[in-house]
Amino acid sequence: MTSEQALSISLGLQGPCVIARLTGDFDFGSAAEVRDRVTKALDLTQPPMLVIDMQAVSVCDSSGLSVLVYLHKAVTASGGRLLLSGLNGRCEHLFAITALDKFFDIRRTAELAIAELNEEGNAPPYPA
C-alpha cells in the first residue's frame, strides 16, 4: 500500500537566492510544474542562485531527477549556482546509487546553502 502525497512548491527570494522548498512526492505527476515554476523564478536574480530544499520530499523518481538535472544545466549555463539541501532517507539513497550525489552540490540544510550563496552573491565582482 502506497500513500501518494501531492507535491507543493514554495518559492521565495532571500538576498540574491531563489529558494524552492518542495514538500511531498516529486514524481512524474509534479515534475513539469516544478520545472516550469522554478525556471520562471530564476529570472528574479542574475546570475541565478538557486537553493532547492528537499527536506520534506517523501519520494523522488526519475522524472524528479531529470528536472533537477535540467535546472542545474540551466543555472550553470547562465553563470549561476544551484545547491540542493535536506536530502534524507530514500532521496539520499537514490542520489547515492545514481551517483548524482557527485554531480550536485548538496548541503545538509537549506540555511547552510542559503548562507553560502548569499555570501557569494554579495561578494564584489572583482578582487579588491
Side-chain angles (χ1 to χ4, degrees), residues 37-123:
R37 288 186 59 196
V38 175
T39 299
K40 286 178 187 171
L42 292 177
D43 291 337
L44 296 173
T45 63
Q46 287 303 319
M49 302 286 217
L50 175 62
V51 173
I52 300 178
D53 181 12
M54 297 184 57
Q55 182 175 359
V57 171
S58 48
V59 172
C60 183
D61 70 5
S62 61
S63 299
L65 294 178
S66 177
V67 167
L68 294 174
V69 170
Y70 168 85
L71 291 170
H72 183 275
K73 288 181 179 182
V75 167
T76 56
S78 298
R81 251 183 107 203
L82 179 150
L83 296 178
L84 297 179
S85 68
L87 294 182
N88 55 47
R90 291 169 59 181
C91 290
E92 187 175 32
H93 179 70
L94 178 63
F95 275 73
I97 64 172
T98 59
L100 287 173
D101 59 344
K102 308 289 188 260
F103 178 76
F104 286 100
D105 287 330
I106 302 170
R107 300 299 176 266
R108 196 170 28 88
T109 66
E111 291 71 25
L112 290 171
I114 293 165
E116 182 175 329
L117 291 183
N118 276 335
E119 188 174 299
E120 287 180 23
N122 291 326

